[in-house]
C-alpha cells in the first residue's frame, strides 16, 4: 500500500532536488576539469607539433629557394614558396637576402571572418614565426620566415568545445539516470518513512509500518521505527483497554454486570427524546426483591450476592435486545421498554418476569433460596414526561404493589390494571 507522503516545508528544498543538483554539479565539475586538462595537454602537444612542423617547412623552403637567392631570381623564389604554401597550413612566408632585405613573400588571403579568426587564435596559441637561414657553400645567403595559419588548430579547438558539450550532455543524462536510482534507493524509503510518521502524528495510525529498504542503513532505520511503532501500538491498545474497562466500571454494576443507575437514566433520557419526536410510548418497570433483607441477614452476604446475580440473569432472559435492564442499587432493578407499541406488552413482560422468579435460586453450598419481585410500571407520556418523573412514578407503583400483595405488579396511578 502506498503510504501518504508528508509535504515539504515552504522555502526548503526536497532531498530529491538537493541530491539531483549535487549529481549535476559533480558531473559538470568532473567533465569540465577533465576537458580543460585534456585541452591543455592537447594544446601543449599541438603547439610543439606545430613548432616542429613550421621548422621543417622552413628548412624545406630554404633548400627550395637557395638557388633563387644565389642567382637573385625573385620570380623563381616567389613561385617556389607559393607552390609549397598552398599545400601547407601557413599564413605568411617571407624570404629575405643576407642583409635582411625582403626578397620574396607570400601571404594567405584573409578575406573571410573565419580566416581572420583562425589567424588571431594562431597568433595567441601557436608559437611565433620560425626563421631559418639559407646556406650556400657554408655561407648564409638569406633567411626564410614562416608563420602558421592555425586552421588545423582552430578545427581542433572547435572539436574540443563540441566534445565538451557532448560530454556535458551525456553527463547530464547520466546524472539524471543516477538521480532516479538514488530516488528509488534512498529518497523513496525516506519518503515512505516520513509518510508513515506523518500519518502516525496526524491520524494516530500506529498500525502502519515502513516497508523494507534495499540499503542496509535505511532498512535498519525502518526496523527501529517499526519497533517504536509496535511499542506505541501496544501502549495505545492498553490505553484503549483501560479506558474501556474504566468506562464499563463507571457505567455498570460490579456484581451483576448490568448497567448502573447513571447509564440507565442517561439512556432513558435519550429514549424519551426520540419518543417525543416519534410519538411512541416508553415504559419503565421498577423492581424490588421482596425477601432480600431476610435472605441477606439470615444466610449472609454471599447468599444475598448470589440471589442478586440470579435475579439479573433471569431478567436478561425475559427482555428483548432493544430493552434495557439495570441495577439501581441494593435489591432494586429497573427495566426500560422502548419503543413500546402496545400497552399489553408492558403487562406481559411484567408477568413473564414474575413467573421467572418462581424457581428457587441455588447457592454455592447446595442450598436453594426462593424469592419474589414486586414491580411498578410507569408510562411515557401517561405518567410523566421526564426520566426522574417516570422513575418516581414506577417506584411509587412498586411500593403499592408490595403493600397490596408481594410478588405482584401495578401501574402508576392513572392507568387501571393489577395482577
Amino acid at each position: 500500500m502506498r503510504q501518504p507522503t508528508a509535504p515539504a516545508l515552504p522555502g526548503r528544498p526536497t532531498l530529491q532536488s538537493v541530491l539531483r543538483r549535487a549529481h549535476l554539479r559533480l558531473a559538470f565539475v568532473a567533465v569540465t576539469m577533465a576537458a580543460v586538462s585534456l585541452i591543455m595537454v592537447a594544446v601543449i602537444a599541438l603547439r610543439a607539433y606545430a613548432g616542429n612542423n613550421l621548422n621543417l617547412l622552413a628548412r624545406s623552403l630554404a633548400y627550395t629557394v637557395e638557388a633563387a637567392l644565389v642567382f637573385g631570381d625573385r620570380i623563381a623564389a616567389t613561385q617556389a614558396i607559393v607552390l609549397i604554401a598552398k599545400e601547407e597550413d601557413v599564413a605568411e612566408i617571407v624570404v629575405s637576402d643576407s642583409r635582411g632585405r625582403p626578397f620574396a613573400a607570400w601571404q594567405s588571403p584573409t578575406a573571410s571572418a573565419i580566416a581572420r579568426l583562425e589567424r588571431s587564435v594562431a597568433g595567441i596559441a601557436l608559437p611565433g614565426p620560425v626563421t631559418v637561414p639559407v646556406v650556400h657553400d657554408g655561407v648564409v645567403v638569406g633567411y626564410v620566415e614562416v608563420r602558421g595559419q592555425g586552421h588545423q588548430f582552430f578545427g581542433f579547438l572547435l572539436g574540443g568545445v563540441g566534445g565538451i558539450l557532448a560530454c556535458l550532455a551525456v553527463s547530464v543524462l547520466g546524472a539524471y539516470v543516477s538521480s532516479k536510482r538514488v530516488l528509488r534507493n534512498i529518497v523513496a524509503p525516506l519518503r515512505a518513512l516520513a509518510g508513515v510518521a506523518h500519518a502516525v502524528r496526524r491520524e494516530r495510525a500506529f498500525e502502519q509500518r515502513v516497508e523494507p529498504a534495499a540499503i542496509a542503513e535505511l532498512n535498519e532505520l525502518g526496523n527501529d521505527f517499526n519497533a517504536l511503532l509496535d511499542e506505541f501500538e501496544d501502549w495505545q491498545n492498553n490505553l484503549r483497554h483501560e479506558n474501556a474497562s474504566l468506562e464499563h466500571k463507571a457505567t455498570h454494576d460490579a456484581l451483576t454486570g448490568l448497567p448502573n443507575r447513571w447509564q440507565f437514566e442517561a439512556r432513558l433520557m435519550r429514549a424519551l427524546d426520540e419518543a417525543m419526536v416519534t410519538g411512541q410510548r416508553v415504559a419503565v418497570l421498577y423492581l424490588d426483591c421482596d425477601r432480600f433483607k431476610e435472605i441477606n441477614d439470615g444466610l449472609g452476604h454471599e447468599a444475598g450476592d448470589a440471589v442478586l446475580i440470579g435475579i439479573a440473569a433471569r431478567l436478561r432472559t425475559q427482555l428483548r435486545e432493544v430493552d434495557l435492564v439495570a441495577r439501581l442499587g441494593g435489591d432494586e432493578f429497573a427495566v426500560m421498554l422502548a419503543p413500546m407499541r402496545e400497552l399489553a406488552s408492558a403487562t406481559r413482560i411484567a408477568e413473564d418476569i414474575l413467573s421467572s422468579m418462581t424457581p428457587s435460586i441455588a447457592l454455592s453450598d447446595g442450598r436453594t433460596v426462593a424469592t419474589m419481585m414486586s414491580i411498578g410500571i410507569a408510562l411515557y407520556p401517561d405518567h410523566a414526561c421526564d426520566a426522574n418523573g417516570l422513575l418516581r412514578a414506577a417506584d411509587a407503583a412498586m411500593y403499592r404493589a408490595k403493600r397490596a400483595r408481594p410478588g405482584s405488579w401495578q401501574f402508576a396511578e392513572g392507568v387501571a390494571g393489577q395482577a
Side-chain angles (χ1 to χ4, degrees):
M1 180 180 68
R2 184 180 179 85
Q3 302 291 350
T5 58
L9 294 176
R12 295 188 181 183
T14 62
L15 179 61
Q16 178 184 358
S17 62
V18 170
L19 291 176
R20 183 166 293 173
R21 284 198 297 268
H23 275 80
L24 292 176
R25 290 195 199 101
L26 180 62
F28 179 80
V29 170
V31 172
T32 301
M33 292 183 63
V36 171
S37 301
L38 289 175
I39 289 177
M40 290 181 63
V41 172
V43 167
I44 294 173
L46 189 61
R47 182 182 177 88
Y49 170 78
N52 292 332
N53 188 53
L54 287 177
N55 188 59
L56 291 175
L57 181 62
R59 290 181 182 277
S60 177
L61 287 171
Y63 288 124
T64 302
V65 300
E66 177 184 353
L69 281 170
V70 171
F71 293 104
D73 190 348
R74 297 175 179 270
I75 297 176
T78 302
Q79 291 177 347
I81 61 178
V82 168
L83 183 64
I84 295 176
K86 288 182 178 181
E87 302 297 329
E88 300 294 336
D89 184 25
V90 293
E92 184 179 14
I93 300 175
V94 177
V95 179
S96 57
D97 58 17
S98 59
R99 297 181 180 180
R101 294 173 298 183
F103 184 77
W106 176 89
Q107 188 173 13
S108 174
T110 57
S112 66
I114 296 179
R116 290 194 295 272
L117 180 61
E118 289 177 350
R119 186 164 297 182
S120 299
V121 172
I124 297 173
L126 294 180
V130 175
T131 302
V132 297
V134 180
V135 180
H136 178 70
D137 293 336
V139 178
V140 176
V141 297
Y143 299 92
V144 175
E145 180 181 306
V146 181
R147 187 184 300 273
Q149 171 69 22
H151 176 74
Q152 295 178 351
F153 181 82
F154 188 75
F156 168 79
L157 186 62
L158 290 180
V161 172
I164 292 176
L165 294 178
C167 290
L168 284 176
V170 173
S171 299
V172 168
L173 179 61
Y176 176 77
V177 174
S178 177
S179 66
K180 295 288 286 185
R181 180 170 296 180
V182 168
L183 174 62
R184 182 171 61 252
N185 294 335
I186 298 179
V187 179
L190 291 178
R191 278 184 175 176
L193 191 148
V196 172
H198 183 75
V200 169
R201 182 172 65 89
R202 290 292 182 88
E203 305 170 11
R204 296 294 186 267
F206 294 110
E207 71 281 357
Q208 296 199 28
R209 294 294 181 270
V210 180
E211 297 294 333
I215 299 178
E217 291 80 2
L218 294 179
N219 188 64
E220 184 176 356
L221 176 62
N223 291 336
D224 291 340
F225 190 76
N226 288 338
L228 185 62
L229 289 180
D230 290 337
E231 296 181 6
F232 278 138
E233 188 175 15
D234 292 340
W235 170 80
Q236 185 185 48
N237 292 334
N238 291 335
L239 183 61
R240 286 175 178 173
H241 184 268
E242 291 177 2
N243 290 339
S245 178
L246 291 174
E247 182 180 1
H248 187 271
K249 290 178 181 179
T251 58
H252 288 75
D253 176 57
L255 178 63
T256 62
L258 295 177
N260 58 15
R261 177 184 286 271
W262 181 87
Q263 184 179 176
F264 183 84
E265 291 179 351
R267 292 181 60 177
L268 177 59
M269 286 188 289
R270 290 199 298 268
L272 293 178
D273 291 338
E274 294 177 3
M276 188 179 299
V277 176
T278 61
Q280 294 178 330
R281 278 193 168 116
V282 176
V284 172
L285 281 62
Y286 206 104
L287 298 84
D288 183 83
C289 182
D290 294 324
R291 299 182 58 244
F292 182 73
K293 188 175 186 308
E294 177 185 343
I295 296 171
N296 205 37
D297 294 342
L299 301 179
H301 292 290
E302 291 186 1
D305 290 344
V307 169
L308 293 176
I309 293 173
I311 290 173
R314 295 181 183 186
L315 287 175
R316 288 192 188 98
T317 61
Q318 302 302 320
L319 301 176
R320 304 170 300 177
E321 292 184 1
V322 295
D323 298 330
L324 175 66
V325 57
R327 182 188 177 196
L328 302 182
D331 60 339
E332 295 180 340
F333 296 84
V335 174
M336 180 182 70
L337 308 176
M340 194 190 68
R341 296 179 177 83
E342 298 178 356
L343 184 63
S345 298
T347 60
R348 178 180 54 80
I349 291 177
E351 292 286 355
D352 292 341
I353 291 174
L354 295 178
S355 297
S356 68
M357 299 300 164
T358 301
S360 299
I361 297 176
L363 303 179
S364 58
D365 57 5
R367 293 178 295 174
T368 59
V369 177
T371 184
M372 294 185 299
M373 303 289 290
S374 295
I375 303 175
I377 305 173
L379 301 174
Y380 166 86
D382 303 74
H383 302 120
C385 294
D386 62 327
N388 290 331
L390 280 175
L391 284 172
R392 285 195 301 269
D395 186 21
M398 181 271 297
Y399 277 108
R400 285 192 292 106
K402 186 184 290 285
R403 287 192 298 268
R405 180 163 59 88
S408 64
W409 60 267
Q410 283 199 12
F411 274 107
E413 292 183 349
V415 178
Q418 179 176 331

